[in-house]
Structure formats: structure tokens, C-alpha cells
Amino acid sequence: MGRLFDFMLPENKSPLTADSTDGLFHFINEVSLVFLIGITIALVYFAFKYKRKSEDDETPVITHNNTLEITWSVIPLIIVMVIFGWGYSGWLNLKAVPNDAYEIQATGFKWNWNFNYENGAQTLNELHVPKGRPIKVVMQSRDVLHSFFIPDYRIKHDVVPGRYTYVWFQAEETGESIIFCTEYCGTSHSDMLAKVIVHEPDEFEKWLELNGGGPSGSPVELGEQLITMNGCQTCHSLDGSSGIGPSFQGIWGREQQFTDGSTAVTDENYIRESILYPGEKVVAGHDNVMVSYDGLLSDDDITNIIEYLKTIN
Ligand code: CUA
């Protein structure tokens, strides 16, 4: 059903979570519009009706008007209570996850979203879900405050370091929807984009099976997967183009110049130090914005990453 303020909202692709939000959104806008028009008309009408007509036209002294004061207190009170009740029941709905929800773990970090599935599958900046089934996304942050927002589903929740938060939705059509980070989180906050990809249920099962089991392969392959899953390319290009950080292309054996004027040739120890203590040697022309991966990557992980970086020419 088309409504007056529909143009302000993206398409509703998860009615179970979006309907109450949309209904309330329309109600508030329509009530506001009625008052805006009513008050404007009264204002203009009174301006003409009570215009000062002569020099001795004096304003009468009015102390109060009970009927009027009660009316303009009680009507707004009723409207505000309706909005409160409606908003509260919508909030309860967004907090009450259906029992049969499919659970996916999400981690927000500067400036990517990582998703983990029950069978070990992992994706970066792509949330794969089946259609027509409630999905619960359990979220945590690795560094600072982020916020997980899917406008098409009308869900948004802060992602907080040191605690878990969650959202749920049920996509009713296949296709893609955008995921935003809506909490300012540093240099590339505006690029912290991801998407939901909704599959038919049987296609989702196939996708899951194909991607399950976690990473495997040679050290170079494992290193490549780690680089991909940690979103390193967000800041470090593979093709030589300059980004927030230096490009990975040709990084091995390259002489780096640092912001303090010193230089060093890229070797194992330099890469290891840059991963664990990124602020120690900042390449000239870049800012010290990388977070430490100390505790997030094991020694084996770092060795695999080094093996992969050696191969990027
Ligand atoms: Cu993460 Cu903004």
C-alpha cells in the first residue's frame, strides 16, 4: 500500500522487522504534517484577523483559558503515548529473536566486517543468508565502536568492543542489500561497507558446503586467505596503487623510507614488526592508523602472510 512518505524509505525486504518501524515512521510523519498544515493556516488567519487596526487598538488582558490549555496538553499527551507504545512494541520485536533463527557471528574491525558460519565458512564484507528464514547476527568489535546498519531490513545496532550485541531479520527476497557502518570509526569509516547476499535455501546450503571447513592449503595460500579475511587490501593495494597504507606490490626486499627519515629493507622481521607494532616504523607519506594484530594472528599466521607477501610482484 502506497503511503505519502514512502519515498523517504528504501524498499522493505524484511517485513518481520521492518513493518512496525515503517508504520510508526509513517504515523509520526503524517501526524506532523497535519499539525504543520493546521498551525500554519491558524497562524496566517490570526495574523490577519487580529492585525492592529488603529493607534488606540489595545490588546485585551487574558490571564488563562482552561479549556484551551487542557486541550493542547491532553491531545499531544495522547499522541506521544501512542508513539511510545508503538515504538516499545517495535523495539521488543527487534529484541525477540525467533527460536529457530540461523546464527551467524560477525566481527567489526577497522574497516571491514568479517562473518563466521557454523561449519567454519568465513566471509569478508559479504553476509550470505538463506531466504525466508530468521537470521540472528551476533556481533563483536575488535577495536573501536562500530554500528551495523541494514536499511532494507530497518535494523541497526552498535557493535561494541568487549561485549556481544545482536540483530535479527528475515529476508523475503533473494538479491543483495547494503550494510553500512553508522558509527564514526576513523579514517575509512565511510568505506566500511558490506552487503547481504540472500540465496534460495537450497542454494545457501550448497554455498555453505562449498565454503565450509575453514582455511587450508600451502603457506602462500593460507597467507593469501589471511590477508583477504583480515581485510588488509582495504588499506594495502595489491597493484601498486597508493592507499591508506603502502601497497603490497613488490614489498618484499624493497627499501622503505620512514616518517622519521630512517630506511630499512623489507624482510621477515620488518613485516612481523609492522603487523604486531604498526606504529614503530611508519612508511613516509602515510599516517600511523593501523591497529596492532598482536593477539589476533599467531606466529604461524604471520609466517604464512610473509610467504604470501614475497609472491606479490
Ligand atoms: Cu566502523 Cu564506522
Side-chain angles (χ1 to χ4, degrees), residues 65-263:
N65 182 327
N66 280 338
T67 318
L68 206 56
E69 284 163 25
I70 290 171
T71 309
W72 79 42
S73 300
V74 170
I75 292 177
L77 179 71
I78 292 170
I79 294 174
V80 167
M81 289 316 288
V82 167
I83 292 174
F84 170 77
W86 199 332
Y88 185 61
S89 85
W91 179 80
L92 286 179
N93 176 44
L94 292 177
K95 287 285 101 187
V97 186
N99 284 332
D100 58 340
Y102 183 78
E103 204 171 298
I104 296 169
Q105 309 291 323
T107 305
F109 57 98
K110 294 184 191 175
W111 289 278
N112 293 280
W113 298 101
N114 193 320
F115 300 103
N116 284 276
Y117 305 79
E118 54 177 3
N119 71 345
Q122 264 192 61
T123 52
L124 187 80
N125 296 331
E126 281 185 2
L127 174 59
H128 292 260
V129 300
K131 185 180 96 172
R133 182 163 177 197
I135 308 292
K136 181 183 186 185
V137 184
V138 179
M139 310 180 292
Q140 56 180 314
S141 168
R142 217 190 256 176
D143 37 45
V144 298
L145 209 58
H146 301 279
S147 185
F148 187 82
F149 179 32
I150 308 179
D152 286 352
Y153 303 159
R154 316 288 192 267
I155 53 168
K156 172 156 71 175
H157 206 293
D158 275 5
V159 180
V160 188
R163 70 182 286 179
Y164 293 96
T165 53
Y166 65 89
V167 290
W168 79 275
F169 60 88
Q170 179 168 321
E172 296 298 356
E173 48 187 282
T174 57
E176 297 183 359
S177 290
I178 195 157
I179 303 173
F180 288 108
C181 174
T182 48
E183 188 67 60
Y184 181 66
C185 56
T187 314
S188 285
H189 156 71
S190 57
D191 292 325
M192 193 166 164
L193 302 168
K195 57 189 174 183
V196 194
I197 300 174
V198 184
H199 301 271
E200 291 291 347
D202 52 331
E203 276 172 33
F204 175 74
E205 290 303 326
K206 270 186 232 156
W207 176 87
L208 202 60
E209 201 144 308
L210 214 64
N211 291 275
S216 63
S218 69
V220 172
E221 286 164 349
L222 287 170
E224 184 174 7
Q225 288 163 23
L226 284 163
I227 291 280
T228 306
M229 280 309 149
N230 283 288
C232 306
Q233 294 110 311
T234 307
C235 300
H236 303 279
S237 79
L238 301 180
D239 61 4
S241 58
S242 188
I244 288 170
S247 176
F248 282 154
Q249 190 187 48
I251 195 171
W252 186 253
R254 180 164 71 195
E255 187 175 89
Q256 306 275 20
Q257 180 153 24
F258 305 112
T259 45
D260 64 359
S262 64
T263 59

